[in-house]
Amino acid sequence: MQTGQAPAETGDVTRGRVGWIAVVLEPDDPCEAAVRWAVLEAARRHLHVQVVLPDDHRHHVGCRKSFARAVSVARRTAPEVVLTATVIPGPVDRAGLAASVDAQLVVLPDASTHIAAAVTGAYCPVVVVPDLPSTPRPGRPRHSVDPYPVMVAVGPTTGSEVIEFAFAEAESQDAGLLAIRTWHDPLIDLGAPAGRQALRWDAANAEIRADLDHQLSLCRLAFPDVVAETLVVDDRCSDLLAAVALHARLLVFGRPTRGALLNSVAVSPALALSRRPPCPVTVVPPAEPAWPGWLPSRRVGVADLRG
């Protein structure tokens, strides 16, 4: 493995390169799992890895120690991957956003303090890696059920770039794909003693399934080797995904669009599971990144209030 010089204080996170994955680390935070995931992903994509370290002029020694730990993990994991480092003066959220301008992925450990800022403001997909030991998870792309699929959370307004990212990851990892969509209609009560509630529930569920199949249709044509399954459930999104994704190799979300005000009342599932990831969680920004504001960027529905 090639390594760069000791971290030098600079605002240029690219150093003239293209094709790299950024790992944003803070001094003293556990970084082994995040570095290991980034290096393996870089080896699979034939990319470099750059360790991005914030420096507020008080933790420079800690930055050097973090880079030394990252080098040690990378050497043991994928020695062929080129690893370099850069230090950006200022707080960690600035470092993460600066890195996301040119990186293909930004990788964070789940102990990072700026996950929310990265998820809502980064210019490239953000991956949050839990601090868990890595275990081999072989895919079975031509089998009807992959025990460790790539999972994608799909809502009524999920962009095509999110679904395409999940399909591309499944194809590159020879994995299956599971698209999950939750829904809820407060006017349908299956516990009610009267009449047509079950029929209304069946009709609503069938409509959601048809809509999900329509959302996946183009990617199914573009990625014919990916076995894509669907799961539609009347349940709280965050609770379901936290349980199901324990056996996923990757969980993919679109960027939260409900705004900071609504997130303070009912936090977005993407934010909730990024802060406590059951597996590596990826949040994909829209094609045209929007400035994160206080108000939702789309119409709010009942599902937003249930999380």
Side-chain angles (χ1 to χ4, degrees), residues 181 205-215 232:
R181 182 157 168 187
N205 194 65
E207 182 180 353
I208 296 295
R209 287 184 179 276
D211 188 42
L212 177 57
D213 286 337
H214 176 72
Q215 290 175 289
V232 176

Side-chain angles (χ1 to χ4, degrees), residues 80-142:
E80 73 277 11
V81 172
V82 176
L83 186 75
T84 57
T86 189
V87 175
I88 297 181
V92 66
D93 55 346
R94 176 183 170 184
L97 292 180
S100 73
V101 173
D102 295 299
Q104 293 196 13
L105 290 175
V106 168
V107 180
L108 304 171
D110 62 352
S112 173
T113 59
H114 89 301
I115 288 174
V119 164
T120 58
Y123 296 94
C124 70
V126 175
V127 184
V128 183
V129 181
D131 186 30
L132 297 173
S134 178
T135 54
R137 294 180 172 181
R140 295 186 290 180
R142 304 188 188 280

Side-chain angles (χ1 to χ4, degrees), residues 16-285:
R17 286 203 321 271
V18 293
W20 57 290
I21 293 175
V23 186
V24 184
L25 302 179
E26 297 179 67
D28 303 323
D29 275 353
C31 68
E32 287 78 5
V35 172
R36 187 182 302 112
W37 191 96
V39 169
L40 289 173
E41 186 72 7
R44 205 166 50 77
R45 296 188 179 206
H46 306 290
L47 301 175
H48 296 177
V49 171
Q50 187 168 80
V51 178
V52 179
L53 298 155
D55 185 13
D56 59 3
H57 304 291
R58 292 175 299 175
H59 300 114
H60 199 73
V61 173
C63 287
R64 292 178 179 273
K65 290 181 179 179
S66 293
F67 180 61
R69 290 200 306 270
V71 169
S72 177
V73 172
R75 281 175 174 165
R76 298 194 305 268
T77 305
E80 73 277 11
V81 172
V82 176
L83 186 75
T84 57
T86 189
V87 175
I88 297 181
V92 66
D93 55 346
R94 176 183 170 184
L97 292 180
S100 73
V101 173
D102 295 299
Q104 293 196 13
L105 290 175
V106 168
V107 180
L108 304 171
D110 62 352
S112 173
T113 59
H114 89 301
I115 288 174
V119 164
T120 58
Y123 296 94
C124 70
V126 175
V127 184
V128 183
V129 181
D131 186 30
L132 297 173
S134 178
T135 54
R137 294 180 172 181
R140 295 186 290 180
R142 304 188 188 280
H143 194 277
S144 59
V145 177
D146 184 349
Y148 301 109
V150 172
M151 295 184 183
V152 55
V154 183
T157 61
T158 297
S160 58
E161 68 279 352
V162 179
I163 299 172
E164 182 180 352
F165 181 94
F167 268 83
E169 284 295 303
E171 181 181 64
S172 66
Q173 297 188 41
D174 290 333
L177 181 135
L178 179 62
I180 302 176
R181 182 157 168 187
T182 60
W183 67 279
H184 178 68
D185 187 340
L187 300 179
I188 300 177
D189 182 7
L190 291 178
R196 304 174 61 88
Q197 295 291 315
L199 293 177
R200 292 179 61 194
W201 189 96
D202 289 341
N205 194 65
E207 182 180 353
I208 296 295
R209 287 184 179 276
D211 188 42
L212 177 57
D213 286 337
H214 176 72
Q215 290 175 289
L216 302 180
S217 58
L218 289 179
C219 282
R220 278 175 162 156
L221 292 174
F223 300 91
D225 291 334
V226 175
V227 178
E229 300 177 292
T230 60
L231 177 65
V232 176
V233 181
D234 179 2
D235 198 356
R236 294 179 62 91
C237 184
S238 296
D239 294 344
L240 176 70
L241 292 173
V244 175
L246 287 173
H247 299 288
R249 68 180 68 207
L250 188 68
L251 174 60
V252 181
F253 287 98
R255 170 173 287 169
T257 57
R258 60 180 62 186
L261 184 61
L262 182 55
N263 266 319
S264 66
V265 178
V267 66
S268 161
L271 275 176
L273 272 77
S274 294
R275 290 166 175 163
R276 300 185 66 181
C279 68
V281 171
T282 302
V283 179
V284 181

